[in-house]
Amino acid sequence: MTAEDIIIRPVLTEKANDAIAAKRYAFMVDVRADKKQIKAAVESVFDVKVESVNVVNVRGKYKRQGRTGGYTAKGKKAYVTLAASSKAIPFFETLS
């Protein structure tokens, strides 16, 4: 997997936006990626220094449409903390 395949999209929630000040960013990542691969992907794509990576497996929610029910897609969310000496990611700085 390449770095572009590992990082799917940023997570833009209130909790994630509050953590931007502490250089902590949230991304949806490929479910097969591990912490080392996620760290390498973020460092190569955004040219930053990653201090730590925490991962959360997100299970699909049960949703109904009339009589029919099913589950939404499962995924993996990664919380990436940058080193204090590292620069911030420009994409997230425009959101504040």
Side-chain angles (χ1 to χ4, degrees), residues 37-51:
Q37 291 173 331
I38 295 168
K39 179 179 179 178
V42 171
E43 286 180 344
S44 68
V45 169
F46 297 108
D47 193 31
V48 292
K49 178 70 176 140
V50 175
E51 185 176 307

Side-chain angles (χ1 to χ4, degrees), residues 6 13 24 34 36 42 47 53 58 64 69 71 77-78 82 86 96:
I6 293 174
T13 60
R24 189 169 169 89
D34 60 3
K36 290 180 182 180
V42 171
D47 193 31
V53 177
V58 180
R64 288 185 45 146
Y71 287 90
K77 194 185 304 183
L82 301 184
S86 177
S96 301

Side-chain angles (χ1 to χ4, degrees), residues 52-90:
S52 67
V53 177
N54 294 10
V55 235
V56 179
N57 285 314
V58 180
R59 63 186 174 105
K61 288 185 175 182
Y62 183 74
K63 297 286 186 175
R64 288 185 45 146
Q65 181 73 35
R67 290 187 298 178
T68 309
Y71 287 90
T72 60
K74 66 179 181 175
K76 185 181 270 192
K77 194 185 304 183
Y79 291 97
V80 178
T81 305
L82 301 184
S85 61
S86 177
K87 64 177 183 161
I89 297 176

Side-chain angles (χ1 to χ4, degrees), residues 10 12 17 20-21 25 46 88-96:
L12 304 174
N17 285 339
I20 289 174
Y25 303 97
F46 297 108
I89 297 176
F91 171 77
F92 289 97
E93 293 302 315
T94 61
L95 300 176
S96 301

Side-chain angles (χ1 to χ4, degrees), residues 1 5-8 28-34 38 55 75-76:
M1 285 188 291
D5 294 334
I6 293 174
I7 300 172
I8 297 172
M28 288 303 290
V29 296
D30 192 286
V31 292
R32 299 166 294 180
D34 60 3
I38 295 168
V55 235
K76 185 181 270 192

